[in-house]
Structures are given as structure tokens and as C-alpha cells.
Amino acid sequence: MKIKINGLKKGVVYGNRDTLDVSSVSMDSEHKYAVAEVFRNELYIAVKIIAYENDILICEYVDHYSDSDDCVMLMKYYVDWECIKYGFCKLILWAPEMAAKWNGSYEKTVKRFYFDWELYKRSYEEKHGVPCPKRNPIEV
């Protein structure tokens, strides 16, 4: 699949291209947000979907995650959209070889992609009854 990412930060992708052939794309149920796997098990880019035109997904850059850990042999990443009602999704690493290091767990959240910071902040404050102590990671 081809994806065009407006506002992509310089240096995220070699050659500073904004139109990419990606390995896979995971979308939320309403097709408002997506996480594109640019390089298998290495680079994931979170985007807000603008349109789908001429077989190209047109998006706005949100954030990215990259990893090049060669020591883990059996691993895969997947996107958990369960928290999108709070404005974010999770990128989860499944790696059974890491169970001893992760206290018996095969999975670990390696990145949260915040698509709607105001929704997250409001939800946090309603749930916990205190001001959200976190700062918007996109603005940091």
C-alpha cells in the first residue's frame, strides 16, 4: 500500500520522502487514525487519515517509533486500538524470549501514539479526579 504523509519530520525516513510503500497499515474502527508499518519490525508511523485517493492513503503525521533490536529472534508488533476512546492507541511488542526479563509477560507496550491529546487529558482527569500530570508528548 502507498501512503503519503504530510508534515513528516525530517530524518524519520531515509531520503526524507513523504510518499512511501508500507508493509502494513492498522486503522481504528472509524478509519480516522492509522499506524503504518514502514519497515517490518523497525519503523511505525502514526497518522491521522485525511483521504484515500488514487490508491494512496493521504495522512497527517502524528508520531513515530523505531527499533532495531537484533537480539530478539521471535517477535512481532501489533497495534491495540482499545484505548482510542481515550485518544490514543498502543504499539505492543510480543516477544516470548523476553518473558524472563518482563516478569513472565510475553507482551510489552513500547509506545503510545496520542491522536487526541485533549481527549486523553480530559479522560484522565475525569477518571482520576486530579489534573493530568503528563505533558503532550508531541509538543515536548
Side-chain angles (χ1 to χ4, degrees):
M1 171 180 254
K2 282 199 182 289
I3 184 169
K4 180 177 180 358
I5 305 173
N6 298 326
L8 183 60
K9 281 186 177 178
K10 283 188 169 218
V12 172
V13 178
Y14 177 76
N16 295 319
R17 301 166 291 153
D18 65 355
T19 303
L20 311 163
D21 279 312
V22 297
S23 297
S24 67
V25 175
S26 175
M27 295 183 206
D28 73 307
S29 61
E30 296 180 8
H31 299 283
K32 291 170 54 176
Y33 311 111
V35 176
E37 182 179 24
V38 180
F39 304 119
R40 192 160 305 283
N41 289 336
E42 285 187 29
L43 177 60
Y44 295 83
I45 300 177
V47 294
K48 292 181 181 179
I49 298 172
I50 298 169
Y52 186 70
E53 300 171 354
N54 302 322
D55 295 329
I56 298 176
L57 191 62
I58 315 249
C59 307
E60 185 70 33
Y61 174 82
V62 173
D63 200 358
H64 72 280
Y65 173 81
S66 62
D67 184 23
S68 59
D69 189 352
D70 293 334
C71 66
V72 180
M73 299 292 286
L74 183 59
M75 64 184 258
K76 75 173 182 173
Y77 289 88
Y78 67 92
V79 181
D80 179 355
W81 290 103
E82 193 171 306
C83 298
I84 198 64
K85 61 188 172 198
Y86 303 117
F88 70 96
C89 74
K90 297 177 186 179
L91 182 63
I92 306 221
L93 171 59
W94 175 85
E97 295 175 42
M98 301 299 286
K101 185 177 179 180
W102 295 342
N103 296 322
S105 178
Y106 284 29
E107 297 179 333
K108 178 179 180 182
T109 300
V110 293
K111 179 76 174 176
R112 282 186 178 188
F113 292 120
Y114 294 91
F115 295 100
D116 187 337
W117 179 253
E118 290 306 313
L119 173 60
Y120 171 77
K121 190 174 155 185
R122 188 173 56 251
S123 299
Y124 182 95
E125 292 170 356
E126 287 173 6
K127 182 176 180 180
H128 298 287
V130 296
C132 180
K134 295 181 181 180
R135 292 181 52 193
N136 186 340
I138 304 303
E139 295 174 359
V140 174

